[in-house]
Amino acid sequence: MTTVVEAQYRGIFQPQLLVHALSYNLDRPFLHYGDDQIMTAGDYRDLVSQYLQSLRALGLARGARIGVLSANRPEVLAVTGACLLGEYVLVPMHPLASLEDHQYAISDSGMEALIFDPESYNERGTALAGATDGLFALSIGPASMGLNLCELAGKMEPEALVAPDTSPEDVYRLSYSGGTTGKPKAVAGTHRVGAAMLSILMAEWEWPAEVKQLMCAHLSHAGSAMFLPTLLRGGAMVIMRGFDPLKVLQAIEKHRITCVLLVPTMIYALLDHPRFTEFDLSSLETVFYGAAAMSPARLRQGLARLGPVFFQWYGQVEAPMTVCVMRRADHVSDDPERLASCGRPVPWVHVELLDEQMRPVPDGVAGEICVRGPLVMARYHNRPEQTADALVGGWLHTGDVAVRDKGGFLRIVDRKKDMIVSGGFNVYPREVEDVLSGHPSVASCAVVGLADPYWGEVVTAFVVLHTGEKHCTESLQALVREKKGPAQVPKVIECVDELPLTAVGKIDKKSLRASYKLCSDRTVTQ
């Protein structure tokens, strides 16, 4: 039972902010989707109410785990809103995960209902529902099995939205990793973290005066963080079912888009598209990018072609979206180290670079990025030992190794676990990748360490070349030797058509290691 004093000083969380944002200017267009369909803020409010009533009618009680497996569509945002107001725990399902990993997430989370998009995931949704006893299968539209949630919601009369009596440590989301470092684990997202994330997004991100946002990132993942700021700023979102570079360019011109959230691989695809110059992209004021490192060479190219529109965020699921930012004016095109930076810490969190003994390191010396503050997760779900490891010493240990310059900008040299030890020398893959990506033939690349009986590990590069370019191993090796020295030179360079990606657009290095593991006849000994 909440006491009078607790109620008097309780903070404002996402459910209350959602109700507030949907209490005024309801005639304004909010969602554009499909073939020029428009949903007003009032329409969206009513849809949230109908979905909430439907979930309650099915007997789902407060705290029930509800999974979502869907392409981008307005119903995903309706489910998100309904879960916030119904005090359900939303479990976004990795759109590229295996059947085994999806089944694991269902079991590990204690999922009671799975909402799936039959247009994109009918086969997977059907398989998951058929293999799980007692799981509600709810389809967004007609499907071969399960209950049509859209049809059920359409029978409900919209009601006024009421925010629940939320506590800061109540869990509202279980966000599973993509499994790139082993079995997927879930971060228990609490309302404390959600409120901190939203406050930082509103205060630190450089939003256009008129928010007309293109949403092609997954709405069930990073894209979900964007809908409340857009609502609160009176903006609108143009929803694409997924990322298609040509359709993105067309949408920016057609809808006069002012901001878009992209991951680096999406930006590369836009810049490399043969029809890039055909479209008027002048309305674009801010490109929010993050989730993975962006090549300084490609970023310089983007600045040249789009202007000073790039805004970088750095964070991770354990401290979501914004630990550091690099603002538009911070993108100095003739400074490679600045372009390799992830920005400076925001003032809403405590950030230190710590060594192995958890001592702060001086400027210019590599240390692990460690974070304290209300943005930091409470725990991993059902993983007490991994929680203790991640939060040892009262800090969130991000696993990212960085150096700080005299201006306070952090430059990530790599993931702590990805550091390569070759012939006794430490090699940070990110630094080699930044050099390789500066070669005119290279569109994108990834560097990993692969086991070798002589060197321990060999520096191995996987390179995607620009169309028409030919394999250029010697010139790439010479470039790395010139810029970084002989210990960093990749001993193996594989040209590939594409690099495997996780759901949030990060290069899947676990998959690369598994697919291209050195065999005996390719062992490098000199």
Side-chain angles (χ1 to χ4, degrees):
M1 180 68 68
T2 302
T3 68
V4 173
V5 173
E6 287 174 336
Q8 183 175 358
Y9 297 109
R10 173 165 292 175
I12 301 298
F13 303 107
Q14 290 184 93
Q16 291 80 19
L17 290 167
L18 176 61
V19 172
H20 172 78
L22 294 175
S23 65
Y24 60 93
N25 293 344
L26 297 181
D27 292 334
R28 71 186 189 274
F30 174 46
L31 301 176
H32 299 252
Y33 60 100
D35 297 326
D36 295 322
Q37 294 176 275
I38 297 176
M39 184 181 292
T40 66
D43 295 333
Y44 173 68
R45 179 197 61 180
D46 291 347
L47 196 62
V48 170
S49 171
Q50 291 171 308
Y51 271 63
L52 176 56
Q53 291 179 65
S54 299
L55 296 175
R56 285 174 171 165
L58 293 171
L60 293 167
R62 176 184 184 274
R65 271 62 169 161
I66 299 178
V68 178
L69 180 61
S70 177
N72 284 356
R73 51 191 301 171
E75 293 87 352
V76 174
L77 292 180
V79 170
T80 302
C83 286
L84 284 172
L85 299 183
E87 297 184 274
Y88 300 121
V89 178
L90 184 68
V91 186
M93 300 290 278
H94 189 308
L96 300 180
S98 67
L99 175 63
E100 180 182 354
D101 280 347
H102 278 158
Q103 290 173 329
Y104 173 81
I106 290 172
S107 174
D108 183 65
S109 67
M111 191 179 297
E112 296 181 40
L114 172 65
I115 299 173
F116 68 96
D117 172 10
E119 292 184 25
S120 300
Y121 298 100
N122 186 60
E123 183 178 346
R124 179 58 58 85
T126 299
L128 291 170
T132 310
D133 293 336
L135 181 71
F136 273 119
L138 306 173
S139 62
I140 305 175
S144 56
M145 76 169 296
L147 179 67
N148 187 336
L149 185 58
C150 296
E151 185 177 44
L152 179 60
K155 298 176 181 178
M156 303 295 177
E157 191 68 29
E159 298 176 349
L161 301 181
V162 178
D165 186 18
T166 307
S167 295
E169 296 307 314
D170 287 343
V171 176
Y172 76 95
R173 187 179 180 94
L174 286 177
S175 299
Y176 278 84
S177 70
T180 58
T181 58
K183 207 68 175 173
K185 59 183 182 293
V187 172
T190 64
H191 284 293
R192 165 182 56 80
V193 173
M197 177 185 71
L198 183 58
S199 296
I200 298 171
L201 284 169
M202 296 292 286
E204 299 295 331
W205 286 38
E206 294 182 305
W207 298 92
E210 178 186 359
V211 179
K212 190 73 172 290
Q213 181 163 195
L214 182 64
M215 184 48 60
C216 51
H218 288 293
L219 279 174
S220 60
H221 287 70
S224 66
M226 307 303 283
F227 95 97
L228 253 181
T230 301
L231 260 181
L232 289 166
R233 290 182 176 273
M237 299 178 74
V238 177
I239 296 177
M240 299 180 62
R241 284 189 64 82
F243 176 77
D244 178 282
L246 179 58
K247 291 180 179 179
V248 167
L249 294 169
Q250 291 170 333
I252 293 172
E253 178 179 81
K254 176 181 178 180
H255 295 283
R256 306 303 296 160
I257 295 298
T258 60
C259 61
V260 59
L261 182 144
L262 301 170
V263 298
T265 51
M266 294 177 177
I267 298 173
Y268 301 163
L270 293 178
L271 295 174
D272 292 340
H273 197 278
R275 296 182 59 187
F276 179 87
T277 58
E278 295 180 20
F279 299 95
D280 179 5
L281 310 179
S282 61
S283 63
L284 201 55
E285 296 182 38
T286 308
V287 174
F288 300 115
Y289 72 98
M294 186 166 175
S295 155
R298 301 309 303 272
L299 187 51
R300 188 181 300 111
Q301 181 187 16
L303 290 166
R305 302 186 76 175
L306 288 171
V309 299
F310 291 93
F311 176 98
Q312 182 183 180
W313 88 90
Y314 162 74
Q316 54 183 209
V317 179
E318 293 85 348
M321 300 299 283
T322 316
V323 171
C324 299
V325 297
M326 188 156 74
R327 302 178 185 281
R328 290 175 297 196
D330 294 332
H331 285 72
V332 182
S333 61
D334 60 353
D335 186 342
E337 286 203 349
R338 174 65 60 79
L339 295 185
S341 165
C342 66
R344 288 183 284 207
V346 296
W348 307 80
V349 293
H350 303 284
V351 178
E352 283 285 359
L353 301 186
L354 302 180
D355 65 15
E356 293 289 347
Q357 287 72 45
M358 295 188 60
R359 299 171 301 195
V361 300
D363 290 352
V365 175
E368 183 179 10
I369 300 177
C370 295
V371 186
R372 284 176 173 168
L375 189 66
V376 172
M377 70 166 187
R379 63 189 178 279
Y380 291 118
H381 176 64
N382 288 342
R383 300 289 186 94
E385 292 184 3
Q386 288 179 288
T387 299
D389 289 343
L391 300 177
V392 66
W395 291 92
L396 169 66
H397 295 257
T398 67
D400 289 323
V401 178
V403 295
R404 182 179 52 242
D405 68 19
K406 62 182 180 181
F409 288 87
L410 305 186
R411 178 171 57 86
I412 296 175
V413 294
D414 228 294
R415 292 288 294 168
K416 190 175 182 179
K417 65 178 182 297
D418 286 342
M419 186 183 73
I420 301 166
V421 181
S422 183
F425 291 96
N426 293 345
V427 178
Y428 290 109
R430 169 70 194 278
E431 295 190 327
V432 180
E433 289 164 356
D434 284 349
V435 174
L436 291 173
S437 64
H439 192 284
S441 297
V442 175
S444 60
C445 64
V447 172
V448 301
L450 295 179
D452 181 84
Y454 182 81
W455 296 100
E457 289 182 294
V458 290
V459 181
T460 305
F462 300 95
V463 174
V464 178
L465 299 177
H466 288 295
T467 303
E469 296 291 340
K470 296 181 179 180
H471 200 299
C472 48
T473 297
E474 291 183 1
S475 63
L476 289 173
Q477 290 174 324
L479 181 63
V480 176
R481 184 175 290 105
E482 175 191 351
K483 300 290 186 181
K484 301 302 298 182
Q488 314 251 20
V489 175
K491 292 180 170 60
V492 176
I493 296 180
E494 293 276 352
C495 285
V496 295
D497 293 332
E498 60 182 3
L499 298 170
L501 302 176
T502 68
V504 296
K506 294 182 180 181
I507 294 172
D508 189 343
K509 291 190 174 182
K510 178 187 175 185
S511 178
L512 279 176
R513 292 187 188 98
S515 300
Y516 296 93
K517 185 178 181 181
L518 287 181
C519 56
S520 58
D521 61 343
R522 294 170 58 198
T523 298
V524 178
T525 57
Q526 51 180 310

